[in-house]
Amino acid sequence: MGKAKNIGLIGLGMVAGVAASFQFSAHAQKEVGSPLPLDELRQLADVYGLIKTDYVEPVEDKKLLSEAIGGMVASLDPHSVYLDQKAFKEMKEAVQGKFVGVGIEVASEDGYVKIVAPIEDSPAHKAGIKSGDLITRIDNVPVRNMSIDEAIKRMRGKAGTKVTLTIARRGEDRPWVVPVLRQEITVASVKGKMVEPGYAWLRVSQFQENTVEELAKKAKALYAENPDIKGLVLDLRNDPGGLLPSAVGVSAAFLPQPEQLIVSTKGQLPDSNHQFYGRREFYSQRGADPLAGLPAGLKTVPMVVLVNGGSASASEIVAGALQDYKRAIIMGSQTFGKGSVQTLRQLSADTAVKLTTARYYTPKGRPIQATGIAPDMRVDETADGDALAVLRVREADLQRHLAGENEKPPAAKDQKEVLEAQQRALAQLKDRKPLDYGSKDDFQLAQAINHFKGQPVQLARSEPEALKPAAPKALPGAEQKPAEIKAPAKK
């Protein structure tokens, strides 16, 4: 049970916020292992004194110290942040899946705020904000070199109030201004339905406190509706992550053995090195076991997991575990690559530091950080290709990102060719409506159903060179061909 105490949060898409990842620590703060750099600390004290005496107007001590802490932590990597009283309160609210904001996951790039992904059905999503957009102003205040935490604070507010965002989009001549109405956003964690007789679709949009319970309830309802399910699609596209126990529980729901390793962590400190198994103590420590009484077929039904560049952290843990055990075929495009652990160290009753302390590894020891999960079947978002591929932001694109163990230096790119590709993509996307996951127009879902039926699967036309796997993987029960993949019909 000692290890279970360290179960925490990963990849949580916060209010207007960062695809963050947390792990609550049960350990006291460690003593500093090396002598303090006295000269640098004197310089810090000197600068502090100069601001107090010489700055054009008085500055509160609390503001100076808070900003100093925030800047020091934020300089480490995109996911380490200082949480002041307000931010800490908002973080605790967000893990419950309810928050007030515009509904975007963001990261910092070149001093601006970059959209990782809009949350489904959020005000930002409805306003037409897309992955890859840059926020250059918030209520006409420039965000250049503004901390990501400060930008998030400015986008937060009371429900029903308006925030005006200035958006720059690659390929567009000038930025555009969009007013967005803040609202309380309740993220529906699990959706599900029978796509057609015999084939089920389960979507996890975010890993929250009740995700395992919701998934079990939805799975039971689907099997009650159709006891002879021949194929099940687990949809993790654009799922930014969430709670680690939920990722463990969702994985355990489909794996046949409860003792199987789901994910491990490795870091500098001994208390950062852990293994998480599909046992109840790793995904639920209150009430009845949410996975008790699951339909037996859920452990053996043929599965496809849909992923894309917006599938991050907890999503990658689930996809990696199911791929390692050959429990499911992973279909779609390369995932985001958020494979670092953030530990929440409380500094006081209402402030904390979220610090990167470890990396995540799949059951077979594959690192996730900056590389992500490569799909077994690369399938574009639409039949006409994946226009978003050149616009998507991944972990490896973020400034100061924690380097992955297998990460390769990016190949030199012709900027003119890159810009032309982005402009072509924007032209294709200009009049396209947001994809309705699970609908009859969902091309990737249709390809998953084709795979179950043994019908041709239309593979991706192309993939950015940096995302191509070293060698194609052999797929269980499927015959590979250059243009398509066929699988035996399931009866």
Side-chain angles (χ1 to χ4, degrees):
M1 291 295 291
K3 292 181 180 179
K5 291 181 181 178
N6 283 299
I7 292 177
L9 321 178
I10 55 174
L12 176 68
M14 295 179 70
V15 181
V18 187
S21 67
F22 305 134
Q23 187 174 54
F24 287 103
S25 172
H27 298 268
Q29 182 179 356
K30 306 295 185 298
E31 293 184 4
V32 177
S34 58
L36 294 173
L38 296 181
D39 289 342
E40 286 77 9
L41 288 174
R42 288 192 187 98
Q43 285 186 353
L44 178 62
D46 289 343
V47 172
Y48 178 86
L50 283 172
I51 294 173
K52 291 294 292 182
T53 58
D54 295 10
Y55 189 64
V56 65
E57 59 185 26
V59 184
E60 292 182 0
D61 292 336
K62 185 176 181 180
K63 173 178 172 59
L64 278 177
L65 293 172
S66 179
E67 293 294 335
I69 295 171
M72 178 169 54
V73 177
S75 69
L76 300 172
D77 64 67
H79 306 294
S80 293
V81 296
Y82 167 64
L83 301 172
D84 62 14
Q85 184 175 0
K86 182 179 179 183
F88 188 46
K89 180 175 180 291
E90 290 169 350
M91 181 275 295
K92 290 189 288 186
E93 291 174 350
V95 303
Q96 299 173 350
K98 292 183 179 181
F99 43 79
V100 175
V102 299
I104 50 177
E105 286 96 39
V106 298
S108 179
E109 179 174 293
D110 295 329
Y112 293 106
V113 176
K114 186 167 214 174
I115 308 297
V116 173
I119 296 173
E120 287 182 61
D121 300 323
S122 68
H125 184 260
K126 294 174 182 176
I129 294 175
K130 298 178 180 178
S131 174
D133 287 347
L134 291 176
I135 299 176
T136 60
R137 290 175 177 263
I138 302 172
D139 285 332
N140 208 34
V141 176
V143 304
R144 180 73 175 174
N145 297 324
M146 183 186 293
S147 72
I148 194 73
D149 196 39
E150 177 63 24
I152 291 170
K153 288 179 185 178
R154 289 181 178 272
M155 288 186 281
R156 300 290 297 273
K158 295 182 179 179
T161 60
K162 183 178 68 175
V163 59
T164 301
L165 304 179
T166 303
I167 304 294
R169 182 170 291 170
R170 286 189 176 93
E172 299 288 340
D173 294 333
R174 60 183 61 183
W176 52 287
V177 178
V178 54
V180 185
L181 199 66
R182 299 181 181 97
Q183 68 178 44
E184 181 174 283
I185 300 169
T186 302
V187 179
S189 180
V190 180
K191 299 178 182 178
K193 65 179 181 179
M194 298 302 300
V195 179
E196 58 181 81
Y199 300 101
W201 172 76
L202 277 172
R203 171 160 176 76
V204 180
S205 60
Q206 196 172 50
F207 289 81
Q208 301 170 0
E209 287 181 346
N210 296 323
T211 295
V212 179
E213 288 86 346
E214 291 179 18
L215 182 132
K217 181 179 179 181
K218 186 64 68 174
K220 291 175 183 177
L222 290 175
Y223 269 89
E225 179 182 347
N226 190 330
D228 299 319
I229 294 178
K230 295 180 287 186
L232 186 147
V233 177
L234 178 62
D235 191 346
L236 301 179
R237 290 171 295 178
N238 280 346
D239 182 331
L243 300 173
L244 175 56
S246 293
V248 173
V250 169
S251 302
F254 301 104
L255 291 173
Q257 301 298 327
E259 298 298 319
Q260 288 177 290
L261 176 66
I262 305 297
V263 66
S264 61
T265 64
K266 297 178 185 178
Q268 181 180 186
L269 297 174
D271 66 324
S272 296
N273 301 315
H274 294 291
Q275 294 181 318
F276 300 89
Y277 296 87
R279 299 195 299 266
R280 180 189 171 185
E281 65 259 33
F282 290 100
Y283 59 80
S284 177
Q285 298 187 46
R286 55 185 175 84
D289 183 354
L291 298 184
L294 281 178
L298 204 64
K299 302 289 187 179
T300 57
V301 63
M303 284 185 67
V304 166
V305 178
L306 294 178
V307 296
N308 65 5
S311 305
S313 206
S315 302
E316 295 172 291
I317 286 174
V318 174
L322 297 180
Q323 186 180 54
D324 274 6
Y325 291 118
K326 301 187 184 301
R327 177 64 188 89
I329 295 296
I330 311 302
M331 181 182 289
S333 55
Q334 190 95 358
T335 61
F336 184 79
K338 171 62 174 64
S340 62
V341 182
Q342 279 68 50
T343 299
L344 197 68
R345 307 279 193 187
Q346 280 196 247
L347 303 176
S348 68
D350 50 14
T351 63
V353 168
K354 179 166 65 71
L355 196 66
T356 300
T357 57
R359 290 178 171 90
Y360 283 111
Y361 296 82
T362 71
K364 289 189 176 180
R366 294 184 294 150
I368 296 172
Q369 176 61 19
T371 56
I373 302 298
D376 300 306
M377 291 183 175
R378 296 182 181 275
V379 174
D380 285 330
E381 189 172 276
T382 72
D384 298 322
D386 189 354
L388 280 173
V390 297
L391 302 176
R392 283 197 176 100
V393 183
R394 300 179 68 250
E395 176 77 12
D397 299 323
L398 302 180
Q399 290 181 332
R400 304 186 312 276
H401 73 273
L402 180 68
E405 292 183 17
N406 297 333
E407 184 180 1
K408 298 178 181 179
K413 298 179 181 178
D414 185 314
Q415 293 304 310
K416 181 181 179 181
E417 291 182 2
V418 171
L419 181 59
E420 289 175 350
Q422 291 172 345
Q423 290 174 333
R424 288 194 299 270
L426 288 166
Q428 293 178 40
L429 293 168
K430 191 171 184 180
D431 299 320
R432 199 178 85 183
K433 295 180 180 179
L435 177 62
D436 183 10
Y437 293 126
S439 70
K440 60 181 178 61
D441 299 321
D442 189 337
F443 175 75
Q444 289 174 320
L445 176 58
Q447 300 313 299
I449 302 302
N450 285 347
H451 172 72
F452 291 137
K453 294 179 176 180
Q455 297 176 356
V457 172
Q458 183 175 320
L459 299 182
R461 296 183 174 185
S462 63
E463 189 75 19
E465 189 67 29
L467 301 185
K468 289 184 178 180
K473 295 183 178 181
L475 305 179
E479 176 188 356
Q480 290 191 329
K481 293 184 178 181
E484 65 184 39
I485 293 180
K486 287 187 177 182
K490 306 294 188 296
K491 298 181 180 179

